Amino acid sequence: MSTLNLVNIHSSPSHLHLHLRRTLHHQLSPSSSSLSPCRSLSRRHSITLSHAPTSLNSRQNFSLRAFYFEFDFDSDSDSDSDSSVLKLEEQQNSDNGAPKQAQEYPSGEFEFKEFDSWKKFEVECRMAIALPWQRVKKGSVLKFKLGGEISDQFNSWFEQGLSLPQICENFVKATYDPRIAGVYLHIEPLDCGWAKIDEIRRHILDFRKSGKFIVGYLTECGEKEYYLACACGELYAPPSAYFQLYGLTVQASFLGGVFEKVGIEPQIERIGRYKSAGDQLARKSISPENREMLNTLLNNIYENWLDEISTAKGKTREDVENFVNEGVYQVQKLKEAGWITDINYDDEVIISMLKERLGIQKDKNLPTVDYRRYSKVRKWTLGLSGGKDRIAIIRASGSIIRVRSPLSSLTSDIVAEQLIEKIRSVRESKKYKAVILRIDSPGGDALASDLMWREIKLLAAKLPVIASMGDVAASGGYYMAMGAGTIVAENLTLTGSIGVVTGKFNLGKLYERIGFNKEIISRGKYAELTAAEQRPFR
């Protein structure tokens, strides 16, 4: 699915969709044909491309540098100081033309800035004239209930489910909203990739810099849920909570033996040793390349998990590893060892503890606002928008196909012809200063990927284009990103492009076993190339 969102230059202080001043066009030269290495939004990190299930070369290291736009709340300011623009240093070249070092970007660390007196007065006035459904009672607690699938697209008011952009935007709004006293985060089993969880986790940590509280609550907890919950200042669970922190696994299944028994021969042609997409059909066991890739991927995620949990809980990595390897968790022991703050039921946290913290009498209701209602609060109301210049945000998530077919999902695919139309409309418009291309795709049709890459490349020749990667930007998803001048990845984004694959089933033996026969009359040397499924490729 592809969508187009527009943001004003001062519209959002979240990490990527932040402050792009008019100097950005000069500093991100669209005429450059070189491709910057993948970059991380947070800490500096080194990764081999084989860490993802798509890899060019297991020994080809790329340096990841942080990428960040700093937000300036003074929309009338004409200052182009170093703190309010994207800093891009010219890449130094050695005598043989090879780069001496990667371009340096700002750290990406969020810095909370208090509103001055005039800005506070302006925000109070805007809140006073807000529409009724955009009003929030002062001293309210923002209630998040995170669980299930999380979409990379903006949801409309009528759509169910969680939206990553809206989750992050709500945290940003709550950070600066004087009516929000804190956040109550109820975490349920999550069904999304590690990169989305990492992005939400970062927004939780950024929110805490405002000095407001955030309380996490867990009832059923695995590695992803605990990783996210540990970013909260306090973490509670009921006495009957399920904690299943046994470690991480990755699986690969194979149908080669099954097809052999029934007389079907999968014939897979590939370019790229690490292209494992056809292995499930053709092989009986894991290939050395696929094993190497999955092992490296698993190590990367697990090492990051250990590092972040140990930092959040003030423990050593050895403590965290021992905690995981114990395997059985009694909630009381989790409290005693400091893995959770306390044991409480949901009503005890919301009704008793938070009321006492906010000085609310027991017979009074705790003022709360839920995620969906708070999503309707406009950033303009909180003074987080302004400026005349606009950035276009083009969101592309799902598998890549060329045209919409009657059988394809209405929301889960990137349709090349639709995305190209959006890209062209942005390129032909004169009101945009830059473009962010948000990609969350495992790839798909190679031709469609190439056609979209071409349009992105043409767009980048006119405007600065930044590719932002979500959970996965692999194969065709990475191909699309190559058209941008700068590529930004999360620490745990799965990315890379390692080849192409095609093939067919040879059904000759199956036909013999069941007594089926097929005769083909043709003209032309290669006429039967795809028509003759009862014979192998020559």
Side-chain angles (χ1 to χ4, degrees), residues 130-146:
L131 295 172
W133 54 85
Q134 295 177 354
R135 295 180 184 177
V136 178
K137 188 174 180 180
K138 196 169 183 65
S140 291
V141 174
L142 174 59
K143 292 175 61 179
F144 274 91
K145 193 170 187 178
L146 296 184

Side-chain angles (χ1 to χ4, degrees), residues 251-256 279-286 290 294:
Q251 302 179 32
S253 56
F254 304 94
L255 296 170
D279 287 3
Q280 183 180 26
L281 301 176
R283 293 185 62 90
K284 298 179 183 178
S285 61
I286 193 169
N290 197 13
L294 294 178

Side-chain angles (χ1 to χ4, degrees), residues 263 265 267 504-512 516-521 528-537:
E265 180 192 5
Q267 291 195 298
K504 75 167 187 175
F505 289 112
N506 172 23
L507 306 179
K509 290 184 179 179
L510 175 64
Y511 286 177
E512 288 179 13
F516 179 79
N517 185 39
K518 181 178 181 179
E519 300 288 343
I520 301 175
I521 300 174
E528 297 182 20
L529 182 66
T530 56
E533 76 277 3
Q534 77 277 24
R535 295 198 302 269
F537 285 130

Side-chain angles (χ1 to χ4, degrees), residues 359-510:
I360 299 173
Q361 297 178 7
K362 291 184 178 181
D363 58 339
K364 301 291 185 181
N365 291 328
L366 178 72
T368 62
V369 55
D370 66 15
Y371 155 85
R372 193 164 300 280
R373 185 186 168 200
Y374 195 67
S375 296
K376 299 176 183 178
V377 174
R378 295 175 57 197
K379 291 181 290 184
W380 175 87
T381 305
L382 303 172
L384 300 179
S385 64
K388 298 178 180 178
D389 296 323
R390 287 185 169 184
I391 307 164
I393 303 175
I394 301 174
R395 300 182 181 275
S397 64
S399 298
I400 297 171
I401 59 176
R402 263 172 282 176
V403 296
R404 175 76 65 195
S405 70
L407 299 178
S408 63
S409 169
L410 295 176
T411 59
S412 61
D413 294 320
I414 301 171
V415 184
E417 61 180 6
Q418 294 177 356
L419 186 66
I420 287 172
E421 184 179 344
K422 290 183 175 67
I423 294 171
R424 286 177 177 172
S425 67
V426 171
R427 188 175 81 238
E428 293 167 1
S429 175
K430 296 181 180 179
K431 59 185 177 182
Y432 305 117
K433 294 297 182 180
V435 179
I436 295 170
L437 176 65
R438 175 69 173 188
I439 301 171
D440 188 19
S441 172
D445 189 286
L447 173 58
S449 302
D450 183 59
L451 297 177
M452 290 187 293
W453 169 84
R454 172 63 178 173
E455 294 298 328
I456 295 165
K457 195 73 175 176
L458 293 175
L459 179 63
K462 182 179 180 182
L463 294 171
V465 178
I466 301 161
S468 166
M469 295 176 171
D471 275 339
V472 58
S475 197
Y478 186 73
Y479 194 172
M480 292 170 60
M482 289 175 62
T486 301
I487 300 176
V488 184
E490 293 287 340
N491 276 341
L492 302 179
T493 294
L494 307 185
T495 186
S497 187
I498 60 172
V500 292
V501 62
T502 188
K504 75 167 187 175
F505 289 112
N506 172 23
L507 306 179
K509 290 184 179 179
L510 175 64

Side-chain angles (χ1 to χ4, degrees), residues 35-107:
L35 177 65
S36 301
C38 300
R39 290 175 167 83
S40 168
L41 278 171
S42 50
R43 68 190 62 76
R44 294 187 179 185
H45 190 53
S46 180
I47 187 173
T48 60
L49 282 185
S50 62
H51 288 193
T54 44
S55 172
L56 283 169
N57 189 312
S58 62
R59 295 179 177 84
Q60 191 171 12
N61 291 318
F62 286 83
S63 174
L64 304 186
R65 291 288 188 261
F67 183 91
Y68 175 62
F69 297 104
E70 184 175 350
F71 185 76
D72 180 359
F73 290 102
D74 183 6
S75 61
D76 297 325
S77 172
D78 292 327
S79 171
D80 288 328
S81 63
D82 289 344
S83 64
S84 61
V85 297
L86 174 66
K87 299 177 183 177
L88 289 176
E89 295 180 0
E90 298 231 345
Q91 190 171 0
Q92 298 178 355
N93 295 328
S94 58
D95 294 337
N96 62 3
K100 288 184 179 178
Q101 62 181 26
Q103 292 177 339
E104 292 291 337
Y105 288 91
S107 67

Side-chain angles (χ1 to χ4, degrees), residues 34-238:
S34 62
L35 177 65
S36 301
C38 300
R39 290 175 167 83
S40 168
L41 278 171
S42 50
R43 68 190 62 76
R44 294 187 179 185
H45 190 53
S46 180
I47 187 173
T48 60
L49 282 185
S50 62
H51 288 193
T54 44
S55 172
L56 283 169
N57 189 312
S58 62
R59 295 179 177 84
Q60 191 171 12
N61 291 318
F62 286 83
S63 174
L64 304 186
R65 291 288 188 261
F67 183 91
Y68 175 62
F69 297 104
E70 184 175 350
F71 185 76
D72 180 359
F73 290 102
D74 183 6
S75 61
D76 297 325
S77 172
D78 292 327
S79 171
D80 288 328
S81 63
D82 289 344
S83 64
S84 61
V85 297
L86 174 66
K87 299 177 183 177
L88 289 176
E89 295 180 0
E90 298 231 345
Q91 190 171 0
Q92 298 178 355
N93 295 328
S94 58
D95 294 337
N96 62 3
K100 288 184 179 178
Q101 62 181 26
Q103 292 177 339
E104 292 291 337
Y105 288 91
S107 67
E109 192 70 22
F110 173 77
E111 181 181 351
F112 176 73
K113 294 182 179 180
E114 289 272 5
F115 286 149
D116 59 27
S117 300
W118 173 252
K119 192 71 177 181
K120 289 180 180 178
F121 175 74
E122 180 185 342
V123 170
E124 291 288 344
C125 293
R126 291 183 177 186
M127 289 190 299
I129 62 173
L131 295 172
W133 54 85
Q134 295 177 354
R135 295 180 184 177
V136 178
K137 188 174 180 180
K138 196 169 183 65
S140 291
V141 174
L142 174 59
K143 292 175 61 179
F144 274 91
K145 193 170 187 178
L146 296 184
E149 293 185 7
I150 298 178
S151 168
D152 206 64
Q153 304 283 346
F154 265 103
N155 289 342
S156 71
W157 288 9
F158 306 103
E159 288 181 298
Q160 299 298 314
L162 295 169
S163 160
L164 179 67
Q166 287 170 331
I167 291 171
C168 296
E169 185 178 281
N170 277 354
F171 272 115
V172 171
K173 290 187 296 187
T175 301
Y176 294 94
D177 193 336
R179 302 167 298 183
I180 299 297
V183 171
Y184 177 67
L185 189 63
H186 189 130
I187 302 171
E188 297 183 339
L190 294 160
D191 184 18
C192 64
W194 283 97
K196 285 190 179 77
I197 293 173
D198 215 26
E199 187 166 350
I200 297 171
R201 190 177 191 276
R202 189 174 61 249
H203 277 80
I204 292 173
L205 295 174
D206 290 345
F207 172 83
R208 291 178 59 184
K209 293 178 182 179
S210 67
K212 300 176 182 180
F213 68 83
I214 179 165
V215 172
Y217 188 79
L218 288 166
T219 54
E220 189 174 347
C221 178
E223 289 75 21
K224 288 181 178 180
E225 293 76 25
Y226 192 71
Y227 180 76
L228 181 63
C230 279
C232 301
E234 303 167 59
L235 183 55
Y236 299 88

